[in-house]
Amino acid sequence: MKLSRINWVTYKEAPAEAEVISQQLMLRAGLIKKLASGLYTWLPMGLRVIKKLENIVREEMNLIGGQEILMPMAQPGSLWKQSGRWDQFGPELLRFTDRHHRDFCLGPTHEEVVSDLAGTLLQSYKDIPCTFYQIQTKFRDEIRPRFGVMRSREFIMKDAYSFHLDSQSLEETYLDMRLAYTNILNRLKLNFKIVTANSGAIGGDKSEEFHVLANSGEDLIGYNTEFDYAANVETINIAVSSMTENDELPGALKEVETKDKKSIEDLAKFLGVEKSKVLKTLIYKGVNDEPIAILIRGDHEINPLKAEQIPNIKKPLELISQKDAKEKFSLELGFVGPLGLKIKMYADADTKNMKNFICGLNQSDKHVINANWQRDIDLPPFLDLRLAQSGDHVQTETTSFVINTARGIEVGHIFQLGRKYSESFSLKITDQDSSEKTLTMGCYGIGIGRLAASCIEQKNDANGIIWPESIAPFRVVIIPITNKDNRNMIEDESFKIYHFLISKNVDVAIDDRELRPGNKFADADLVGIPIRIVLSEKNLSKGQIEIKYRDQNESFLIDIDNLEKTILES
Ligand code: ATP
Ligand code: MG
């Protein structure tokens, strides 16, 4: 491809709103263009990356016997009512009505549509096991679209669905898929972990997520390499042994003025104590308008999945607003505490050993110090309600151990769904003995745009993106350095090399734009082309050209005769 034929614009600066490096570099390198919140156009350079990535995914899916299909993005609401998700999915599901006033939605995922398809395609035991997959655009009306294509509203996903007679067959395909995903991430040279996950809104029995490790990741993973353990912290049960005994003697309960010290940080700083000395009281909405208080140590965080198990609490978990707290329940958020609090309370198990703690006094600008359970506050039910963190002891079925944590970007998710959808869609086949059997299902998703962004998060430098060779927009770029006297000669030589590489099936671009060499070098580095070939009069006079790999600092010279060997074998 001649770069002069591509409408490619690069930028020195990223827009201020770009929070993470992949978003900044994708925008600067002219890979994507923002249309509106969470909506992006893939530009010519960017789409080359996406198409290569899709092909890697496609190859791996085909290798495990996946059949590619393409389902519609617009889906009838009736199917979502049949699965029960029309009411469960919440505002991420973008709903609309067609001209005949029928309910529709834009597909955030395709379990319903593929189940409808399976109902007609799969009739006999001979039709299964089978796996369908598609690479298609999804829409989720994310509450906070951010990080560019990593959390957008419209995004490309490869989603696959498998159908089986029994759980053993499901397990086999699940493991094939697990290996295919592992191969995809290895082909992209990503550093990743496979972690135990929660099945979330999709539902089902067993699931694992594929996380690319990066500080910008929105998820926290707890892991212990020795025990070959990795799990999303939201799924981790904390062992009782992690709670240290505390033998402090009870001090005298004392009221303290804490004007404007509403946050735990401000309060702990003001009182000169660690955040772990503060008992935080959070008020959540209940069903029937009854608020529910959760008490947790100041340095810990609520795990919504655990808190949502509390009887009568509203799902998804939602804090009450400042206005409702004040007007409906006379609560001053920031100064709420368990002393004399008249609403139902639950406490995280790790607060049980707290002694002489600080908590709100349910009056503006007041807290108490030296509060103690039983003497001052009746014991609430203690439950495991918090998110695991580094240093916590984890309890598995067989053993307990300490975990470390790392941040991860969830790029893929594989589920054993079981019969959730096959039951609501009556997916039955006739078995060998003529009996009717309900199918069991698996589903498997991998985000194409998020995967591309993850590659950038893991590999970049001050000059730009460092793509793995397999998905760079071009593998090689040729840059001729010309002046008005040698222009024809250098361009002729450059095009000779260009056509030679094309004849060898190398994905090569030639930078024939009317730009200074410095700008061409900068653009090639920014967009992350793995191999750069520079032709100059001085080197050509010696029969040589300069080669530079994007992920190395130094360039080197080779004889033109060695080009094929150097490029094709690198
Ligand atoms: P998250 O927890 O990050 O919202 P999810 O659990 O909702 O992800 P799945 O429903 O498992 O995601 O979707 C499968 C894959 O689709 C994810 O692993 C991710 O790669 C991709 N994906 C999901 N939501 C988005 C989004 N808003 N933008 C881009 N990719 C997404
Ligand atoms: Mg999501």
Side-chain angles (χ1 to χ4, degrees), residues 90-148:
E92 262 189 36
L93 186 66
L94 187 71
R95 298 152 213 252
F96 57 98
T97 46
D98 69 2
R99 62 169 75 200
H100 305 296
H101 311 291
R102 285 182 294 227
D103 284 329
F104 272 84
C105 63
L106 287 186
T109 170
H110 277 67
E111 283 77 13
E112 281 78 1
V113 178
V114 83
S115 295
D116 177 73
L117 174 72
T120 36
L121 274 189
L122 311 179
Q123 298 293 334
S124 123
Y125 69 95
K126 291 181 198 148
D127 301 329
I128 52 165
C130 64
T131 302
F132 300 108
Y133 78 93
Q134 63 174 347
I135 298 174
Q136 190 245 19
T137 301
K138 300 278 180 270
F139 193 94
R140 295 183 184 178
D141 204 354
E142 297 276 354
I143 185 164
R144 243 188 109 201
R146 59 193 193 135
F147 301 160

Side-chain angles (χ1 to χ4, degrees), residues 224-436:
N224 182 311
T225 331
E226 201 185 317
F227 284 82
D228 194 23
Y229 172 88
N232 196 315
V233 285
E234 60 183 22
T235 66
I236 297 180
N237 292 326
I238 298 161
V240 182
S241 58
S242 68
M243 293 148 213
T244 47
E245 279 295 332
N246 173 347
D247 54 10
E248 268 177 60
L249 293 174
L253 187 69
K254 203 172 127 198
E255 205 178 294
V256 283
E257 283 282 334
T258 50
K259 193 168 180 348
D260 298 333
K261 305 290 179 280
K262 287 191 177 180
S263 74
I264 301 289
E265 276 80 18
D266 289 353
L267 182 66
K269 212 167 176 187
F270 176 69
L271 296 173
V273 295
E274 295 291 325
K275 289 199 286 185
S276 57
K277 234 358 196 180
V278 182
L279 182 77
K280 183 160 65 170
T281 306
L282 298 163
I283 313 287
Y284 290 94
K285 288 188 181 170
V287 290
N288 316 328
D289 226 18
E290 285 285 325
I292 290 172
I294 300 185
L295 312 173
I296 185 166
R297 236 169 65 177
D299 59 332
H300 287 160
E301 269 181 72
I302 298 282
N303 180 337
L305 292 177
K306 293 178 182 172
E308 281 171 7
Q309 304 306 314
I310 289 176
N312 294 329
I313 207 157
K314 189 167 174 260
K315 291 183 212 175
L317 203 62
E318 194 182 336
L319 286 164
I320 66 166
S321 67
Q322 189 93 26
K323 186 166 174 276
D324 278 0
K326 202 165 193 137
E327 291 172 8
K328 288 195 191 160
F329 310 109
S330 311
L331 295 172
E332 191 71 44
L333 293 189
F335 301 96
V336 185
L339 279 162
L341 189 64
K342 291 282 179 295
I343 62 179
K344 187 77 191 152
M345 286 184 258
Y346 293 85
D348 174 60
D350 251 0
T351 63
K352 200 169 178 179
N353 288 335
M354 288 177 80
K355 301 230 169 97
N356 295 327
F357 50 85
I358 293 150
C359 60
L361 190 54
N362 301 311
Q363 292 175 31
S364 278
D365 305 330
K366 287 209 173 110
H367 282 81
V368 286
I369 58 172
N370 295 332
N372 283 282
W373 296 118
Q374 280 175 309
R375 186 191 71 181
D376 309 314
I377 307 157
D378 289 342
L379 289 185
F382 290 97
L383 307 170
D384 176 13
L385 293 172
R386 70 174 177 88
L387 278 176
Q389 57 188 33
S390 190
D392 274 335
H393 286 255
V394 167
Q395 187 74 56
T396 65
E397 271 169 27
T398 47
T399 178
S400 101
F401 46 79
V402 175
I403 51 157
N404 267 324
T405 53
R407 297 217 78 85
I409 303 168
E410 182 209 311
V411 291
H413 201 164
I414 54 177
F415 296 84
Q416 292 192 9
L417 283 172
R419 298 196 160 77
K420 181 178 152 82
Y421 298 92
S422 32
E423 268 159 15
S424 46
F425 286 87
S426 296
L427 299 183
K428 295 195 171 86
I429 51 110
T430 315
D431 203 357
Q432 247 162 321
D433 59 4
S434 306
S435 64
E436 273 208 330

